[in-house]
Amino acid sequence: MKNTRLATDTFFRYLIRFVSLFSVLALAAMLLFVFVQGAEPFLTPTSDSIRLVAQNIPAITVNGTEYVNHSTFIPVDLDSTELRLEFVNRGQPLVIPVQINNEVEKVEDRLSFPAEYAGATTYPEAYTWMLKLPGTIVGLEQSVTILFPEPPYNFFSFLGGQAWRPTHLKLYGILTMIVATIISTFGAVLIGVPLALLAAVLIGEFMPRRLAAIVRSGIDLLAGIPSVVYGFFGLMIIVPLVQRMFDAPSGSSLISAIFILSVMVLPTIVAITITSLQAVPRSWREASLAVGASKMQTAWRVVFPAARSGILAGIILGVSRAIGETMAVILVAGNSPQFPTAFTDSVRTLTATIALEMGYAQGRHSQMLFSVGIVLFIMILILNTIVLRLKKHLTKGL
Amino acid sequence: MATKKNNDRLTRPDPAASSPAAKTAAAKPAAATQVATGAEAGKPSAKQPAAGPANPADSGQAALSPLHELRRLARRRRDRKDRLLYGLMVFATIVIFAVLAWILVYIVANGIGHLSFDFVFSRAENSILPMLVTTMYLVLVSLAVALPIGITTALYLNEYSKNTRGVRLLRLAIETLAGIPSILYGLFGLLFFSRIMGFGQSIIAGALTLSIMILPVIIRTTEESLKTIPLAFREGSLALGTTKWQTIRKVVLPSALPGIVTASILAIGRVVGEAAPVLLTVGIAKNLPKSIFQSGRTLTIHLYYLTKEAIHAEDFHIAFATATILVIFVIIVNASTRLIASRFTKNMEH
């Protein structure tokens, strides 16, 4: 009897310890998977071979190998200098030799088709050529699509590139989004922080307890409103307001995003500021009042500086909330990947890009969205580290 | 400059003139010394002992009066500054609450008229029943996964752990998880649960993703409630010869129940309100989900799509009504956590 009791105790001790590891595992898995997926575009080309897609061509011979009713990619060795396409077009057997020159700087000129087919070839997307020939009946055109592998993307043209054209030009520059994220966050902090700090000192230091509790539940309510609802409100009220106020062509703009974000960072900053103000010992306030300082002087010159590391932690948490906010920003910011030159310009943030394009992104484009996630991850981890340092400082200081 | 003015006023003999003089003096230096207001409160009092003996001829009453006046002056200047700051603080608080009220009133006032029993529960074309069901599935599955893990972790942190390196790592992991934006959870969930584990875009993939996201909330809230349980409860139980596990099961967990309920409600609030990771992992299928392995559309995603694609007035009506349901839900969540918290602290005090 006693033995089973002790055995149960030991069993649960180990079980609890084991299950507790889950959070660490989950975090490690998140970091690992997102980083591995996001790092891939910078390390490997999109495929190991040139790939061909033949449409409405029952049998095609590529460099001597015949493919009959082939419905997937036809792989061709990357080192080939010539693509010799043989197939039957409207009853006539054709032989089309395509020269490959990998030395050429401009990707579009790397393939050269015979002169008589120049009119039939197009370059619809970067790294993609298309040869289109009329078929036996209209609508059944024969086509050969040649897909070159994209080489590993340069990390610096990812971070510093200004053009985000993922589908046609295969350009993945995110500088405009980084700038938009930073400006909108900064603007939100600039408006939100003074409001939040003034209100927090009033609630934490001057309000009677009962009133403070009611006011704080209002602040909690502000924190609980779903971001889509903020976005909805922004789109219905703020966007038309901005349009009218600035006489802009569209109200979906940087300033609308800043306004919505500044409301959304308020509850975080207010709540953490109040908590850190309350952590300042009562004796400090009493000492200050005893030497003749007013309540206001005590609050702003004694209590506030004493709580500064906690307050800073709150502000930084507000910043990470603004950086990570997605849905509200999508609805009000307009989402054009461009540098804002005015407050009424449409902008697109890092988070918006992920949420907007993940639905249809394929291949490298999809991986690039994970790379955007890594950039976001690193920003947040840096901010988190600062917060943790500040919290340590806070507990040590008091 | 300020000190010179103060001396001038100190040598003024007529006590009767004190009141108008104080007024003009208070008005003048206010402009001149606004920059130096920080030093203002300290300076005159330091000057007093020197100023006092400088006029031995003054009567006792006259000597006391300028001093008195000086203090009052300093205090008045300070009071004015205090009042200004106080006004600013009240203004900031009012602005915040005005925005809150604006959002709530605007949405509820426009949406409440379009709420009806048919809109919420019928299987009519515009009904939000499928979204409600999807959201409910999502809540149930994510809580079923996250609650046991979260409570166990909180128990470990509060009842078993010592301050070792491993525990510090665990706390660091939880803090970091709490700070990660939800869209990154969405990316991970899409990659791991939808693609690698093969759930595709489905409620289960979304629920598993969200269960990691709400874990920090559950751990923190449960741990807070565990901390408030007096040590005497545990000691009393252990003194009766129980094992640690028996104490936890029969004493600690029942006492922490309100905290666990609060944690669950907060977690439900987050799951219902979340949109970005749900968009990536659960998808947007509008029909009634038959099982948790199918895609679905939650209330928030419904509102998102209605807002983005609304053309007809009817779409806006549905959007307002959906937003109203979300807002009412948030208010209920907030009210109930507050209610439980106040009940809980009352019970603990007895």
Side-chain angles (χ1 to χ4, degrees):
Chain A
M1 178 65 197
K2 197 183 173 192
N3 273 345
T4 49
R5 229 165 49 120
L6 287 180
T8 320
D9 188 47
T10 319
F11 171 74
F12 276 104
R13 187 160 67 231
Y14 283 107
L15 183 74
I16 286 174
R17 188 177 294 184
F18 182 72
V19 172
S20 301
L21 274 176
F22 184 85
S23 306
V24 182
L25 283 180
L27 179 65
M30 271 186 83
L31 289 171
L32 182 76
F33 280 100
V34 172
F35 270 72
V36 165
Q37 184 79 354
E40 210 172 307
F42 307 106
L43 302 176
T44 56
T46 45
S47 82
D48 311 328
S49 56
I50 301 169
R51 292 172 302 170
L52 269 64
V53 183
Q55 269 180 316
N56 295 332
I57 304 175
I60 183 168
T61 307
V62 181
N63 286 355
T65 319
E66 194 179 15
Y67 296 91
V68 180
N69 288 331
H70 202 72
S71 58
T72 54
F73 290 121
I74 299 166
V76 177
D77 192 15
L78 205 51
D79 300 328
S80 335
T81 54
E82 195 194 45
L83 271 174
R84 205 177 166 78
L85 309 173
E86 298 167 48
F87 57 94
V88 181
N89 177 256
R90 285 183 295 179
Q92 284 181 333
L94 294 182
V95 178
I96 306 172
V98 183
Q99 304 299 324
I100 304 173
N101 187 353
N102 280 324
E103 305 302 311
V104 181
E105 187 73 17
K106 208 174 158 201
V107 182
E108 193 177 347
D109 299 334
R110 283 191 192 164
L111 285 196
S112 40
F113 290 84
E116 62 262 42
Y117 295 106
T121 54
T122 48
Y123 187 67
E125 287 178 21
Y127 300 100
T128 309
W129 291 263
M130 204 167 180
L131 177 72
K132 227 181 218 174
L133 296 171
T136 40
I137 43 170
V138 180
L140 269 183
E141 291 160 320
Q142 294 189 319
S143 73
V144 180
T145 312
I146 303 167
L147 297 156
F148 252 52
E150 295 170 51
Y153 206 78
N154 186 340
F155 185 68
F156 294 102
S157 26
F158 169 68
L159 274 189
Q162 299 177 15
W164 176 264
R165 299 278 166 74
T167 42
H168 289 289
L169 299 180
K170 316 247 158 103
L171 287 174
Y172 307 95
I174 60 164
L175 190 63
T176 54
M177 299 162 202
I178 295 179
V179 169
T181 300
I182 290 173
I183 293 181
S184 57
T185 303
F186 187 74
V189 166
L190 218 56
I191 300 175
V193 165
L195 277 180
L197 294 188
L198 285 168
V201 173
L202 182 69
I203 297 166
E205 295 289 305
F206 291 90
M207 278 190 186
R209 249 173 84 180
R210 205 168 276 263
L211 183 62
I214 297 169
V215 172
R216 282 194 71 167
S217 65
I219 301 281
D220 284 349
L221 194 60
L222 210 54
I225 294 176
S227 56
V228 180
V229 174
Y230 275 110
F232 178 61
F233 173 77
L235 196 66
M236 301 301 286
I237 291 282
I238 306 301
V239 168
L241 201 70
V242 167
Q243 191 176 3
R244 237 177 297 137
M245 259 169 64
F246 296 92
D247 203 19
S250 159
S252 296
S253 60
L254 179 62
I255 189 79
S256 308
I258 288 178
F259 183 84
I260 287 295
L261 284 178
S262 64
V263 177
M264 295 184 79
V265 299
L266 282 174
T268 316
I269 303 176
V270 170
I272 294 175
T273 303
I274 293 177
T275 315
S276 24
L277 289 176
Q278 280 167 351
V280 176
R282 212 184 140 83
S283 58
W284 290 30
R285 292 184 183 84
E286 284 162 356
S288 166
L289 292 172
V291 295
S294 70
K295 252 191 118 180
M296 190 65 72
Q297 286 170 327
T298 307
W300 284 102
R301 302 241 177 100
V302 177
V303 182
F304 192 82
R308 64 176 178 274
S309 54
I311 292 168
L312 201 56
I315 293 174
I316 293 170
L317 283 177
V319 168
S320 33
R321 173 135 200 227
I323 288 180
E325 184 47 53
T326 314
M327 303 311 259
V329 176
I330 288 181
L331 289 172
V332 301
N335 304 320
S336 316
Q338 60 176 12
F339 284 123
T341 50
F343 276 120
T344 49
D345 276 358
S346 155
V347 293
R348 181 197 275 200
T349 60
L350 292 168
T351 49
T353 307
I354 300 176
L356 282 170
E357 297 184 0
M358 209 34 148
Y360 62 86
Q362 299 282 329
R364 171 164 284 182
H365 182 191
S366 160
Q367 290 174 338
M368 275 298 180
L369 294 178
F370 280 88
S371 316
V372 174
I374 295 184
V375 174
L376 208 59
F377 233 128
I378 290 172
M379 283 182 174
I380 295 296
L381 287 182
I382 291 172
L383 292 174
N384 258 358
T385 320
I386 300 173
V387 169
L388 288 177
R389 282 276 157 78
L390 284 171
K391 273 189 183 162
K392 208 178 275 177
H393 184 251
L394 179 75
T395 46
K396 222 183 266 171
L398 296 174
Chain B
M1 192 178 166
T3 39
K4 189 171 178 292
K5 275 216 165 72
N6 288 342
N7 280 341
D8 283 355
R9 260 182 284 122
L10 275 172
T11 47
R12 207 185 290 269
D14 185 11
S18 74
S19 149
K23 265 181 195 155
T24 46
K28 264 191 238 161
T33 61
Q34 209 144 38
V35 192
T37 36
E40 206 74 346
K43 256 180 193 167
S45 58
K47 211 70 194 164
Q48 274 161 21
N55 303 306
D58 282 357
S59 68
Q61 199 198 352
L64 202 142
S65 160
L67 268 178
H68 188 67
E69 179 194 324
L70 201 64
R71 280 210 199 105
R72 214 175 56 197
L73 209 66
R75 201 178 300 138
R76 187 176 294 176
R77 203 169 296 149
R78 194 185 71 178
D79 284 353
R80 202 168 42 208
K81 219 186 134 205
D82 284 8
R83 265 204 300 278
L84 184 74
L85 207 54
Y86 194 79
L88 267 178
M89 283 156 60
V90 171
F91 174 73
T93 315
I94 289 174
V95 165
I96 294 177
F97 274 82
V99 171
L100 174 68
W102 191 12
I103 295 175
L104 294 184
V105 169
Y106 174 73
I107 285 172
V108 174
N110 280 297
I112 201 92
H114 303 291
L115 278 183
S116 62
F117 185 83
D118 275 359
F119 175 70
V120 182
F121 295 110
S122 82
R123 301 196 67 165
E125 194 196 344
N126 281 336
S127 143
I128 56 162
L129 183 68
M131 294 80 196
L132 270 182
V133 172
T134 307
T135 310
M136 201 186 66
Y137 276 151
L138 203 62
V139 165
L140 287 180
V141 178
S142 56
L143 271 194
V145 177
L147 259 191
I149 298 174
I151 294 169
T152 314
T153 311
L155 275 179
Y156 176 68
L157 285 173
N158 202 55
E159 306 292 323
Y160 285 96
S161 73
K162 295 174 191 75
N163 192 19
T164 61
R165 181 173 292 190
V167 173
R168 280 203 296 275
L169 182 73
L170 178 59
R171 285 196 187 274
L172 182 72
I174 295 165
E175 294 263 346
T176 312
L177 279 178
I180 292 174
S182 58
I183 183 83
L184 290 176
Y185 283 99
L187 273 184
F188 171 69
L190 176 72
L191 181 63
F192 189 74
F193 296 117
S194 298
R195 293 191 187 158
I196 295 176
M197 285 179 71
F199 286 126
Q201 283 200 326
S202 63
I203 294 173
I204 178 93
L208 291 173
T209 310
L210 291 181
S211 68
I212 303 177
M213 198 185 79
I214 60 178
L215 208 52
V217 180
I218 295 177
I219 295 174
R220 271 186 194 168
T221 318
T222 311
E223 205 191 341
E224 286 304 313
S225 77
L226 288 175
K227 271 182 192 160
T228 59
I229 299 168
L231 205 60
F233 279 30
R234 301 183 182 88
E235 284 163 353
S237 165
L238 289 170
L240 292 173
T242 59
T243 62
K244 187 149 192 166
W245 170 245
Q246 282 173 320
T247 303
I248 286 173
R249 201 165 64 96
K250 302 267 169 150
V251 178
V252 175
L253 277 182
S255 323
L257 195 64
I260 293 169
V261 174
T262 310
S264 316
I265 295 174
L266 285 175
I268 293 172
R270 276 210 70 179
V271 171
V272 171
E274 205 48 74
V278 178
L279 179 65
L280 296 189
T281 53
V282 181
I284 52 169
K286 212 178 159 184
N287 35 10
L288 193 72
K290 291 194 180 64
S291 79
I292 57 169
F293 295 98
Q294 288 185 337
S295 174
R297 184 190 277 201
T298 61
L299 284 172
T300 47
I301 299 298
H302 191 50
L303 177 58
Y304 170 70
Y305 267 86
L306 287 172
T307 315
K308 273 198 92 175
E309 294 170 358
I311 309 163
H312 312 292
E314 179 65 12
D315 293 339
F316 284 107
H317 294 164
I318 302 170
F320 272 117
T322 312
T324 305
I325 289 177
L326 283 170
V327 165
I328 290 172
F329 181 79
V330 168
I331 293 174
I332 292 173
V333 163
N334 265 46
S336 50
T337 48
R338 208 149 281 275
L339 202 72
I340 293 167
S342 65
R343 281 274 170 82
F344 188 42
T345 41
K346 247 180 231 160
N347 283 348
M348 274 294 146
E349 276 161 13
H350 280 306

